[in-house]
Amino acid sequence: MRYLPLTDTDRGEMLARIGVNTVDDLFADIPSNVLLKAPLDLPRRKGELEVERIMSRMAAKNVPASSVPFFVGAGAYKHHVPATVDHLIQRSEFLTSYTPYQPEIAQGTLQYLFEFQTQVAALTGMDVANASMYDGSTGTGEAVLMAHRVTKRRKAVLSGGLHPHYVDVVQTLSKMASDDVVALAPDVSATEDLLASIDDSVSCVVVQTPDVFGNVRDLKAIADKAHQHGALLIAVFTEVMSLGLLQSPGSMGADIVVGEGQSIGNALNFGGPYVGLFATQSKYVRQMPGRLCGETADADGNRGFVLTLSTREQHIRRDKATSNICTNSGLCCLAFTIHMTLLGEAGLKRLARINHANAVKLADQLAGVKGVEVLNQTFFNEFTVMLAKPAAEVVERLAEKGVLAGVPVSRLLPGAGLDRLLLVASTEVNTDDDRAAFVAALKEVL
Amino acid sequence: MRYLPLTDTDRGEMLARIGVNTVDDLFADIPSNVLLKAPLDLPRRKGELEVERIMSRMAAKNVPASSVPFFVGAGAYKHHVPATVDHLIQRSEFLTSYTPYQPEIAQGTLQYLFEFQTQVAALTGMDVANASMYDGSTGTGEAVLMAHRVTKRRKAVLSGGLHPHYVDVVQTLSKMASDDVVALAPDVSATEDLLASIDDSVSCVVVQTPDVFGNVRDLKAIADKAHQHGALLIAVFTEVMSLGLLQSPGSMGADIVVGEGQSIGNALNFGGPYVGLFATQSKYVRQMPGRLCGETADADGNRGFVLTLSTREQHIRRDKATSNICTNSGLCCLAFTIHMTLLGEAGLKRLARINHANAVKLADQLAGVKGVEVLNQTFFNEFTVMLAKPAAEVVERLAEKGVLAGVPVSRLLPGAGLDRLLLVASTEVNTDDDRAAFVAALKEVL
Amino acid sequence: QIEPLIFEIGHHETTGVDLDEPEAFTPRLGGLERKEAIGLPGLSEPEAMRHYVRLSQMNYGIDTGLFPLGSCTMKHNARLNERMARLPGFSDVHPLQPVSTVRGALEVMDELSRYLVTLTNTTTVALSPKAGAHGELCGMMAIKAAIEAKGEGKTRNVVLVPDSAHGTNPATAALIGFTVRPVPARDDGWVHVDDVKKLLGPDVAAIMLTNPNTCGLFENQVVEIAKAIHDAGAYFYCDGANFNAIVGKARPGDLGIDAMHINLHKTFSTPHGGGGPGSGPVVLSARLAPFAPVPFITAENGVLTLVEQAKDATEQPFGRMTAFHGQMGMYVRALTYMLSHGSDGMKQASEDAVLNANYIRASLADLFSQPFGDKPCMHEVLFDDAWLKDTGVTTLDFAKAMIDEGYHPMTMYFPLVVHGAMLIEPTESESKASLDLFIAALRDLAMSAKKGETERFSGAPYHAPRRRLDETRAARTPVLKWTKPAPFAEAAE
Amino acid sequence: QIEPLIFEIGHHETTGVDLDEPEAFTPRLGGLERKEAIGLPGLSEPEAMRHYVRLSQMNYGIDTGLFPLGSCTMKHNARLNERMARLPGFSDVHPLQPVSTVRGALEVMDELSRYLVTLTNTTTVALSPKAGAHGELCGMMAIKAAIEAKGEGKTRNVVLVPDSAHGTNPATAALIGFTVRPVPARDDGWVHVDDVKKLLGPDVAAIMLTNPNTCGLFENQVVEIAKAIHDAGAYFYCDGANFNAIVGKARPGDLGIDAMHINLHKTFSTPHGGGGPGSGPVVLSARLAPFAPVPFITAENGVLTLVEQAKDATEQPFGRMTAFHGQMGMYVRALTYMLSHGSDGMKQASEDAVLNANYIRASLADLFSQPFGDKPCMHEVLFDDAWLKDTGVTTLDFAKAMIDEGYHPMTMYFPLVVHGAMLIEPTESESKASLDLFIAALRDLAMSAKKGETERFSGAPYHAPRRRLDETRAARTPVLKWTKPAPFAEAAE
């Protein structure tokens, strides 16, 4: 077998040195009635060519974003990632390394994590960032738990603009931990009265901007009210690209900023792996979940980096840990930080402007289609439209015409009476032709 | 511009240090009427996304071998290359290195060349091999020149089974160098009387096996006759995979063995880059063209490798050099040697058997189609069929049906009266479905 | 070998991505445009390429040498798997595009599920957990949901966890409100059914047991333990971190487990990538299956479809673990691994992993000390530091000295139940020749330690990109991001 | 850091490729089956991966550091270009599949030709030459064919070649029967039209002139030389190895060249790959265009098609250079480079390359000696070893000492017309910060040499995968392949 270097001769010699007769002598602790005698009823090994054919056949049944006019968002976005990024993350020394527990031979990983943390802190306008979470949604769950630890309260208020899946993740975790959650009703036009929900029992307010319906939200008043009541403001984003153009959550008073970093450096991957970004203020760093990389020096006085503050973590604190997390999204961080380094400040801002410009163009064009109403006053690269027909049906018919038009709100919020709403995203990958195809197809369907 | 690190500030500072005012001061030697003032009339720079789109659009107009039942050969073959190969040759340290002129920091390249040379010598059954040529055809031209140097004669006899393009390359070179070439008539059934062409004026006899029509040739008698007359036997192959199953040219008495190595490790690439293999006997090594890597030791006594015997080469000998060549097919060698190492002796032999088995199956199936006659008594993975209609026309019609059926002999030998002959290759990539599709389509067309 | 930080070499105006400015337009940002600079440096592409290539050169990976990190399973990452994960049909599809346009993606998930369920003899699998610890959380949530469904939510709130367990086990249990009750360690390395029985009662919700355990042993009383747990009305959560030792040799379902997470990045070789991303699907017994979280896949009239919200009464999903459908990129890699190995190859891989570990054990047994006696281990061999007594060399020193010999150290000081633990897992990816060199290096180091050559250890590593790093300083005065050095900042003003 | 050879670690029965044996069948090999063993070792995939990764770690590349090898143009290799070359529509098409199925491939070749012809202001281009030297051969063959077509084949058989030329120039001319007549070097580094005129006569077929020349200078009398050559009825072959200095700044056609090869791997950044593959298309003036070799591309009614044999009388191809259509993989990379840079980027690249070289020149001029005086250079700067006189340090020593500073040495002892030549080409891919570090390192070394610290040089390199290698031994008793060591062979029997 191509992956198994031992030869039968090797195996024989090794068993002899060990002093047993058969390999099953080494499995003697497995009760004999449980020990499998023959291979399981699954196919035998296959060569590369055959495996490639099987996998390619399955892949061919999906419609890749690049192959069609594509406007799907709602928490994951189609962007162009430079070829350099994917080349570099496949370097053996990055791809096949482990968590940098032995820093002397893991400075590559550690330095990029340190650079990543610095980039994320800058982007979010916060003091410190960790070395990433699984993704934005789980990071949001962790942020709520962290707020509970910091405030010693157990009630979170979730904005109606928070991505419904993020709401679900927080609620699942809170329900299991017997914490309270106040989830406000879906707030299509960003008119909810969040301030009214904030009182001295509240641990944190969780607000997404741009929210799931695309609205850009000003967090300052919410931050003020929260702070007056000893609560924290958790600012969430699902499109990190927006931070290139919008005021940072930190500058608006957020205490914890958490979000999805997929848009920079990472592919759509049908939902994962992605990379959760997580930042906070210095004073809360010891309550922050996740890995942290810190600067130090080696025995020769040379600068070096190590994982640090691990006394917060599960492998030391066990049931007293700040989180059960024991990995990060290493390679996805790396992709993020490489792409961000290639963009640089100038590139990121320009790319964000292009995203916004394309979305504005699309909104204006869609607004001209009979049966379409653009609901947003503000947005970055995604907005909500009200259609004359149920959105799920329209999306399905547009897919048949080769246009992937967006996410029907009913898919995220079934039964909420929002069936005619459609979330539409537009990024730098969309061309005039894409928009024209969308508009034309929509006219036929509506 | 993403590839150019200098900023305008940098440029200004640098000009100041140099002591000139503008960059054009550095181009002062270019006559001013010739110096271009504005960029040429070509498009301006483009981002990655746009370039990808342009290139992908062109790529999409071609039919990749993997996407259809594919039976095209005649000197280049569709094989499956393990993913490991392409991953490794893209390692920065291999991809972006230069000819190993500084061996102390190029041992990676040098060691794989040494391993490559050893593999090629073993495969061909010869004493020594060089570090590769551009491809099989140019290597054949070089082999003829080498034979002229060794024998101090200037007449080459080319078998009618030699690939017509190889014949053209040799003839072009010979004509320019005022050497003689006797090219025998196309020899579909390997019945030519090569021995009759050999006399004391002949420098070398060039014989391909399997020949371009697929016939497996026994070289022993030719070698004997050549040697009796002081001539060399140059054995050529266009399908290196065949050496896994067939007697080596060295064992049959060849003095120089040259051929195309594309099948191991390298993609079809529409004809290039490929990798020419070149091997000979020790006594001729100093007349051999191309780079050679040799073993030596460093100042600490550790084994190391260097380019050697470069006194044969153009950068030392100039107009007295054995060849004007000053590169090899470095990365293609690397792909070859990695793939060969993965295969190993057992894997190569098995792969060659699979190729032969598939070709035998295909030949038997085609023989059952009305209007098709298989001409070969012997073959490895390619053979010639006689069709009831002109082959070029049949191939075109089969292409319309999504089957790439082979190479019409008329494409290689126009006007030779062989218009109904088709060369058909079959490798490990062909499935029962492929063969069935071929047969079915052929029945419709004939 | 010092590589500057991007902040030290990059410029705000430099970019390695060419983009044209959009035509003028009126923004719709509600006046919330960013005004201040972000503070992000840019590099041109050649500079970025060199920066990251050089950083990578300071790393050690499986591809560069043997990586015997116990409990972490650093096996070969086949590049075929990477290639498959990058097929546009997998990498370039959106989690929320119409289900009709992602049937192949669902097929991958369904096929992966079939393999996992077959290999474990369980009923269903929750794919979405993003890593092993996330899988533990998923499994324990399912258990909690099941307990609540039986109306025992208030009373059953204790989870038994052996002292030798991974820290994630107690952390996970505590996270969702369970109280951890430790199962004490025994001097044979096994958890005894008698000890478990003593701790059982109507307050016990579950046991979290790692099997094979973190001492490298298969829990030989696991069937009895499972029975005792079930008899007490509790659930058996199995930490599947070491499943790689027994794939194709035994099925956890046959041992009586109710939930077990599978680290695709360990057992099925998706790359560790310097710390992730992982993937931690959880297999569930019939008792827990109804509580599996959304999303999941079902077949309706033979067509696979995705269930993102529960629809009928037989489903009582406990909720949602993550925004989308989990780590598709890892599913593709793991399935590619499974198709490549096949049932025969996976069984052989387990056997070779165990054989390799025992070969190391047998080859070092005369020099190193084994805490639980000289007996066969599973896929990893555990030594303690008793043999280093009085040498002045610690487990840490020994580990760092291995770096100078060209090896990544083994796992050290884990499991906690063993003093100065050294946990060595070679995996099935190593050849005998590679193991022989490794053994020779460890024997040489061991002899050196016993001879009192302490300098070789206390100052190690000498031949690495960095000498030993000061971790205390890092934790005491944390520097967690780069800040512009003050003098330069002043000079610039 | 010694990595064993595959022959020392592999086994004949081991394979890293899983294949099923075919079903039994009757071979049709005419009894010529191989009987003996071949002698090829195999490695499993994990072993092979590690072997080649470790080998790569002993190499230096552009991605790992500045690579100032004069005349070789080690510029950044963009990975976009690699990705494009691997699109199945380019990499997975056969040179002889029906032309109707490769229209896009022809389009790439046609577009590349258009760019090359525009950049050079010539008439046509022969794409198929496989490397620079092969391109020279192509160009000289076209010249020979043109001369023969004029009936001067017997009489015009001399080619003028300056002493500073690349060795390939005289080698190429000699290969096809020309006699080389050297143009002597002058102490200003330029070829003088007066010297050329003296050598001209009815026997002269061509001049082979490199421009910019190998001394790093633009031939300032090139227009006059071209005129003199043409007036004498001869042709102007330009060695285009240094075209990268003037792309977008001057067009060789405007200078009067008749043929020039273009190293796609230098000027347009297809990777050097440790020695190839290269690609050497040749642009031709109207006078030579009819003689371009097959194959070439023409448009018939707006549809591109491939001409593999000449069909009409206006075409008089001199023959065929190689079996198929040249280096398609390189065409794709070069075209991707050109589309990415655009006309503005290519011009800027030339300017930056020249600026970088002059920056190094100006920064070292006080310490190093310039053979032709202190004047601007093109994309590479040439020093000689006059400044090392009496230091006991040679150009070779100096080069090897650069390795210890983390740099690849510059080109040494070329061009031959300069004593102890050091030819430095930074390319446009280096940042100013990178150049400043390089300059500081060279200045430090130079000071050290002048101070007489000879050990730092004579023993160098000290910090490389190998110390200085014995090239004499390698050439005197060549060991060109691995052979099984005798003692082991006996032991095995």
Side-chain angles (χ1 to χ4, degrees), chain A residues 53-277:
Chain A
R53 283 192 173 131
I54 294 170
M55 298 304 292
S56 301
R57 214 147 41 209
M58 291 195 274
K61 294 180 189 167
N62 306 319
V63 178
S66 297
S67 66
V68 290
F70 189 86
F71 304 93
V72 189
Y77 299 88
K78 170 65 188 170
H79 291 288
H80 181 261
V81 179
T84 302
V85 175
D86 196 47
H87 174 79
L88 282 167
I89 70 169
Q90 290 190 73
R91 292 266 309 164
S92 283
E93 296 87 338
F94 286 135
L95 188 79
T96 76
S97 63
Y98 198 73
T99 300
Y101 290 139
Q102 297 288 344
E104 296 83 359
I105 47 175
Q107 286 297 304
T109 299
L110 286 158
Q111 183 166 333
Y112 83 63
L113 289 180
F114 187 80
E115 294 175 347
F116 169 84
Q117 290 172 185
T118 308
Q119 287 173 324
V120 173
L123 265 174
T124 54
M126 305 300 285
D127 296 333
V128 289
N130 72 12
S132 81
M133 312 298 284
Y134 305 138
D135 65 7
S137 65
T138 59
T140 301
E142 291 282 346
V144 169
L145 294 179
M146 173 175 157
H148 292 353
R149 287 192 298 275
V150 168
T151 60
K152 303 202 166 58
R153 300 176 187 173
R154 300 178 68 174
K155 179 169 146 190
V157 175
L158 311 186
S159 155
L162 184 61
H163 193 297
H165 285 176
Y166 286 42
V167 172
D168 287 350
V169 170
V170 172
Q171 283 188 318
T172 299
L173 199 56
S174 297
K175 185 181 63 187
M176 288 288 172
S178 308
D179 296 334
D180 291 334
V181 171
V182 178
L184 301 189
D187 181 31
V188 177
S189 49
T191 51
E192 66 189 353
D193 186 2
L194 253 174
L195 300 184
S197 310
I198 304 174
D199 60 33
D200 288 354
S201 73
V202 169
S203 152
C204 57
V205 193
V206 185
V207 191
Q208 178 178 326
T209 178
D211 68 21
V212 69
F213 301 103
N215 307 291
V216 177
R217 298 210 175 193
D218 189 342
L219 306 179
K220 292 189 212 79
I222 305 167
D224 289 345
K225 180 88 189 278
H227 295 159
Q228 281 161 27
H229 290 275
L232 304 188
L233 170 61
I234 298 175
V236 175
F237 55 86
T238 62
E239 172 50 296
V240 63
M241 197 75 81
S242 67
L243 295 177
L245 212 50
L246 291 172
Q247 289 177 29
S248 72
S251 71
M252 293 192 282
D255 300 284
I256 302 174
V257 182
V258 61
E260 180 52 62
Q262 170 267 329
S263 284
I264 309 280
N266 288 279
L268 287 170
N269 286 329
F270 197 52
Y274 287 172
V275 51
L277 311 184

Side-chain angles (χ1 to χ4, degrees), chain B residues 151-194:
Chain B
T151 60
K152 303 200 166 61
R153 301 176 187 173
R154 300 179 67 175
K155 179 169 145 191
V157 175
L158 311 185
S159 154
L162 183 62
H163 193 296
H165 286 175
Y166 286 42
V167 171
D168 286 352
V169 171
V170 172
Q171 281 187 320
T172 299
L173 200 56
S174 297
K175 184 180 64 186
M176 288 287 173
S178 308
D179 296 333
D180 291 333
V181 171
V182 178
L184 301 190
D187 181 31
V188 177
S189 48
T191 49
E192 67 188 353
D193 186 4
L194 254 173

Side-chain angles (χ1 to χ4, degrees), chain B residues 107 110-116 118 295 303 305 341, chain D residues 2-10 41 43 51-52 55 479 481-483:
Chain B
Q107 286 296 303
L110 286 159
Q111 183 166 333
Y112 83 64
L113 290 180
F114 187 80
E115 294 175 348
F116 169 85
T118 308
E295 183 183 324
R303 176 168 70 187
F305 304 92
T341 300
Chain D
I2 301 285
E3 177 64 17
L5 294 164
I6 49 172
F7 310 97
E8 294 162 339
I9 50 176
L43 294 177
H51 177 69
Y52 292 103
L55 284 187
V479 177
K481 68 174 180 183
W482 180 83
T483 41

Side-chain angles (χ1 to χ4, degrees), chain D residues 4-232:
Chain D
L5 294 164
I6 49 172
F7 310 97
E8 294 162 339
I9 50 176
H11 296 284
H12 290 190
E13 70 274 23
T14 300
T15 179
V17 179
D18 290 323
L19 297 165
D20 288 327
E21 271 298 334
E23 289 160 34
F25 70 103
T26 308
R28 307 213 188 146
L29 300 170
L32 290 169
E33 286 90 341
R34 186 188 274 278
K35 272 117 198 165
E36 77 286 7
I38 306 172
L40 294 171
L43 294 177
S44 66
E45 192 179 291
E47 290 170 285
M49 179 67 80
R50 196 174 287 166
H51 177 69
Y52 292 103
V53 166
R54 284 182 172 175
L55 284 187
S56 78
Q57 291 179 322
M58 294 193 270
N59 264 11
Y60 189 102
I62 315 159
D63 283 357
T64 68
L66 191 148
F67 210 126
L69 207 57
S71 186
C72 300
T73 313
M74 296 299 282
K75 62 165 77 171
H76 175 62
N77 297 128
R79 288 321 187 279
L80 175 65
N81 308 357
E82 294 301 309
R83 179 182 282 185
M84 294 302 96
R86 283 166 175 82
L87 290 172
F90 297 138
S91 65
D92 196 28
V93 289
H94 190 288
L96 298 177
Q97 66 187 61
V99 169
S100 57
T101 65
V102 293
R103 299 278 182 214
L106 301 188
E107 207 175 316
V108 166
M109 292 165 75
D110 188 57
E111 187 70 353
L112 176 69
S113 298
R114 187 172 74 84
Y115 268 84
L116 295 178
V117 161
T118 304
L119 290 171
T120 54
N121 193 24
T122 49
T123 300
T124 194
V125 57
L127 287 180
S128 67
K130 293 258 171 178
H134 207 220
E136 291 179 32
L137 194 57
C138 175
M140 292 307 288
M141 283 178 168
I143 287 171
K144 188 153 188 168
I147 287 170
E148 275 166 7
K150 288 198 284 185
E152 300 180 334
K154 294 245 155 58
T155 51
R156 288 198 184 265
N157 48 23
V158 169
V159 171
L160 307 185
V161 182
D163 285 338
S164 59
H166 294 106
T168 47
N169 292 176
T172 299
L175 194 62
I176 55 173
F178 286 117
T179 303
V180 172
R181 184 176 294 164
V183 185
R186 287 269 210 143
D187 63 4
D188 58 9
W190 282 301
V191 173
H192 287 234
V193 64
D194 298 342
D195 294 346
V196 172
K197 279 184 179 162
K198 278 180 218 152
L199 300 168
L200 284 173
D203 58 343
V204 172
I207 190 169
M208 296 184 82
L209 191 66
T210 308
N211 190 30
N213 70 26
T214 63
C215 302
L217 302 175
F218 187 92
E219 292 291 359
N220 58 2
Q221 299 170 46
V222 61
V223 174
E224 293 80 3
I225 292 170
K227 184 166 185 307
I229 292 289
H230 291 153
D231 288 350

Side-chain angles (χ1 to χ4, degrees), chain D residues 117-447:
Chain D
V117 161
T118 304
L119 290 171
T120 54
N121 193 24
T122 49
T123 300
T124 194
V125 57
L127 287 180
S128 67
K130 293 258 171 178
H134 207 220
E136 291 179 32
L137 194 57
C138 175
M140 292 307 288
M141 283 178 168
I143 287 171
K144 188 153 188 168
I147 287 170
E148 275 166 7
K150 288 198 284 185
E152 300 180 334
K154 294 245 155 58
T155 51
R156 288 198 184 265
N157 48 23
V158 169
V159 171
L160 307 185
V161 182
D163 285 338
S164 59
H166 294 106
T168 47
N169 292 176
T172 299
L175 194 62
I176 55 173
F178 286 117
T179 303
V180 172
R181 184 176 294 164
V183 185
R186 287 269 210 143
D187 63 4
D188 58 9
W190 282 301
V191 173
H192 287 234
V193 64
D194 298 342
D195 294 346
V196 172
K197 279 184 179 162
K198 278 180 218 152
L199 300 168
L200 284 173
D203 58 343
V204 172
I207 190 169
M208 296 184 82
L209 191 66
T210 308
N211 190 30
N213 70 26
T214 63
C215 302
L217 302 175
F218 187 92
E219 292 291 359
N220 58 2
Q221 299 170 46
V222 61
V223 174
E224 293 80 3
I225 292 170
K227 184 166 185 307
I229 292 289
H230 291 153
D231 288 350
Y235 293 87
F236 182 177
Y237 185 87
C238 183
D239 181 325
N242 295 335
F243 182 45
N244 61 304
I246 58 168
V247 175
K249 298 296 291 181
R251 299 180 299 183
D254 294 344
L255 304 173
I257 67 120
D258 291 301
M260 181 178 89
H261 75 272
I262 296 173
N263 298 87
L264 296 186
H265 48 288
K266 293 181 182 178
T267 304
F268 302 113
S269 182
T270 73
H272 286 74
S279 181
V282 178
V283 290
L284 298 168
S285 65
R287 305 200 298 155
L288 292 182
F291 305 100
V294 290
F296 50 82
I297 291 171
T298 55
E300 286 176 1
N301 306 322
V303 178
L304 295 177
T305 192
L306 189 70
V307 177
E308 293 178 284
Q309 323 277 342
K311 283 181 198 147
D312 69 55
T314 63
E315 297 157 356
Q316 309 166 54
F318 69 73
R320 171 178 280 276
M321 296 294 297
T322 176
F324 304 118
H325 328 310
Q327 310 285 62
M328 180 67 180
M330 304 298 134
Y331 305 158
V332 174
R333 289 171 174 88
L335 183 58
T336 304
Y337 172 101
M338 292 177 175
L339 291 172
S340 295
H341 280 77
S343 57
D344 51 335
M346 287 192 276
K347 176 170 186 269
Q348 185 71 58
S350 299
E351 291 183 356
D352 285 358
V354 170
L355 182 60
N356 278 355
N358 278 284
Y359 184 66
I360 291 175
R361 186 182 55 75
S363 304
L364 297 179
D366 57 331
L367 289 175
F368 290 61
S369 49
Q370 299 178 62
F372 306 119
D374 191 18
K375 60 187 179 192
C377 58
M378 297 303 289
H379 63 298
E380 53 193 354
V381 51
L382 178 63
F383 298 109
D384 62 18
D385 63 357
W387 67 282
L388 283 172
K389 199 160 174 268
D390 302 328
T391 59
V393 175
T394 64
T395 290
L396 177 69
D397 293 338
F398 191 84
K400 297 296 183 192
M402 285 172 67
I403 294 174
D404 286 331
E405 303 306 306
Y407 290 104
H408 195 283
M410 68 278 148
T411 290
M412 43 183 202
Y413 302 111
F414 179 83
L416 306 176
V417 294
V418 168
H419 198 272
M422 302 181 180
L423 188 61
I424 297 177
E425 179 178 8
T427 86
E428 70 274 16
S429 304
E430 296 302 320
S431 69
K432 178 170 176 295
S434 166
L435 295 178
D436 285 336
L437 286 172
F438 177 66
I439 288 163
L442 286 198
R443 292 188 65 86
D444 179 66
L445 279 176
M447 243 93 82

